[in-house]
Amino acid sequence: MGTSITFKRPDGKDASGYLANAARGNAPGVVVIQEWWGLSEQIKALTDRFALAGFDALAPDLYNGVVVPYHDTEAANREMGSLDFIDATTQTVRGAAAYLARNGAKVGLTGFCMGGAVTIIGACKIPELSAGVAFYGIPPEQAAKPADVKIPLQGHFASRDDWCTPAVVDAFEKGLKAAGKTAEFFRYEADHAFVNEQRAAVHDREAAELAWGRATAFFHKHLG
């Protein structure tokens, strides 16, 4: 459904990504951020799904073509560990947001796992954004503090998550409330990465569909 494109970062460098356009011409935009596996077929399928839901959706490729097989957590950890999160967010992701906003459209940001953490960093650092939805990812405090979030934020988290743990989620939500931020966090009796249909061991269709409905409604509310 979508197509590979090249777009400019604020620093003038080229970045690449996967773009899927909505049927209508004046659609709002959603930037979709990959898991730590890379720009996988799963993320492209979600980008297509956002387009079908009425958004122009763009998934930037933060690994520059590298896609890690699902069984190789060591390689995924290595790729994520070598990623400059701040550069990726303030340059590549911001470039994607600016690309979608070029015709005056409102733009949201969403991401999964590693992309959830990038979403929250973006919620603090990307001025083109109007809303963010993070799935089971929260960055370390030195990258993004709750008080620095500048847009309405929705979060989806798993109660059996040993990476983005319930304690981390609770602390971040508490910080958002203390800072008076517009935010809503949802918890699901599920495992980390429960939206990923390609990973049968963790995928939870009921939780994934509930989260999807909430996310798209939130974006339609804040983006149009």
Side-chain angles (χ1 to χ4, degrees):
M1 179 174 170
T3 185
S4 295
I5 66 157
T6 301
F7 57 91
K8 290 288 184 187
R9 299 170 17 133
D11 62 8
K13 293 178 183 174
D14 284 334
S16 61
Y18 178 82
L19 175 70
N21 286 316
R24 65 187 176 109
N26 59 340
V30 173
V31 180
V32 184
I33 308 300
Q34 68 199 48
E35 299 172 303
W36 70 341
W37 311 108
L39 184 49
S40 63
E41 292 304 312
Q42 164 70 19
I43 296 299
K44 290 179 179 178
L46 285 167
T47 305
D48 290 341
R49 196 174 176 190
F50 272 113
L52 290 170
F55 305 93
D56 288 340
L58 174 56
D61 184 356
L62 302 188
Y63 285 178
N64 299 314
V66 175
V67 179
V68 179
Y70 286 129
H71 67 271
D72 199 346
T73 54
E74 192 177 310
N77 198 35
R78 192 163 59 242
E79 288 296 329
M80 184 176 74
S82 63
L83 182 71
D84 182 335
F85 274 71
I86 302 302
D87 176 79
T89 305
T90 60
Q91 293 294 332
T92 305
V93 179
R94 186 180 178 189
Y99 179 90
L100 292 175
R102 69 195 185 285
N103 295 325
K106 286 187 175 180
V107 179
L109 175 61
T110 190
F112 303 80
C113 171
M114 178 187 90
V118 170
T119 296
I120 291 175
I121 299 171
C124 301
K125 297 183 184 293
I126 300 177
E128 288 84 358
L129 297 175
S130 296
V133 179
F135 286 82
Y136 34 79
I138 287 178
E141 195 179 11
Q142 62 267 30
K145 296 180 177 66
D148 295 334
V149 171
K150 294 181 172 64
I151 54 175
L153 186 67
Q154 186 182 77
H156 302 276
F157 302 97
S159 59
R160 298 191 297 269
D161 197 326
D162 57 3
W163 183 69
C164 183
T165 64
V168 168
V169 175
D170 291 347
F172 200 86
E173 184 181 36
K174 191 176 176 183
L176 288 167
K177 285 180 177 170
K181 301 299 178 179
T182 301
E184 55 183 25
F185 278 15
F186 298 98
R187 279 90 167 163
Y188 304 83
E189 277 299 319
D191 297 300
H192 180 78
F194 63 84
V195 174
N196 192 329
E197 296 178 32
Q198 293 187 336
R199 298 183 61 210
V202 295
H203 178 55
D204 185 315
R205 180 165 298 281
E206 189 177 347
E209 290 305 310
L210 181 56
W212 176 261
R214 287 167 167 168
T216 51
F218 186 80
F219 278 143
H220 280 302
K221 175 184 175 182
H222 292 287
L223 306 179

